[in-house]
Amino acid sequence: MATKKSLTVPQNGTQPAEIKTPMDNMISGTTTKKPTLKRPTSFSLSPEILIQFKAGCAYQGRPMSDVIEELMLQFINQK
């Protein structure tokens, strides 16, 4: 039969000295995410068009959401 090995757990550096509760986080006002006014959305697209769109945005160094917002504004402002 196999011998039983003892489990060792490091005692230093594995946890923060103080673990904050959600109430502590609310009081201190620290947040992990930046507040944003943008809302997530989803819709279906042709895979080929999506690939080309992603590549075009990457080539121009622009986020896809910025380009989509610009296109939406152009559509809204059409006469």
Side-chain angles (χ1 to χ4, degrees):
M1 204 162 174
T3 60
K4 191 173 184 179
K5 294 183 180 180
S6 63
L7 178 64
T8 59
V9 179
Q11 298 299 311
N12 295 326
T14 57
Q15 292 184 344
E18 180 183 315
I19 299 174
K20 292 188 174 188
T21 65
M23 184 60 77
D24 292 333
N25 290 334
M26 287 174 55
I27 293 170
S28 69
T30 57
T31 59
T32 56
K33 293 182 180 180
K34 286 184 177 180
T36 181
L37 299 175
K38 294 185 177 188
R39 295 177 53 184
T41 188
S42 65
F43 43 87
S44 300
L45 297 171
S46 162
E48 294 83 18
I49 293 173
L50 179 60
I51 290 169
Q52 291 176 9
F53 180 68
K54 282 184 175 184
C57 289
Y59 180 76
Q60 293 182 13
R62 298 177 63 192
M64 291 193 314
S65 59
D66 289 355
V67 176
I68 290 173
E69 284 181 359
E70 181 181 310
L71 293 169
M72 292 173 93
L73 287 170
Q74 287 176 6
F75 179 81
I76 292 167
N77 294 325
Q78 273 183 359
K79 293 185 179 184

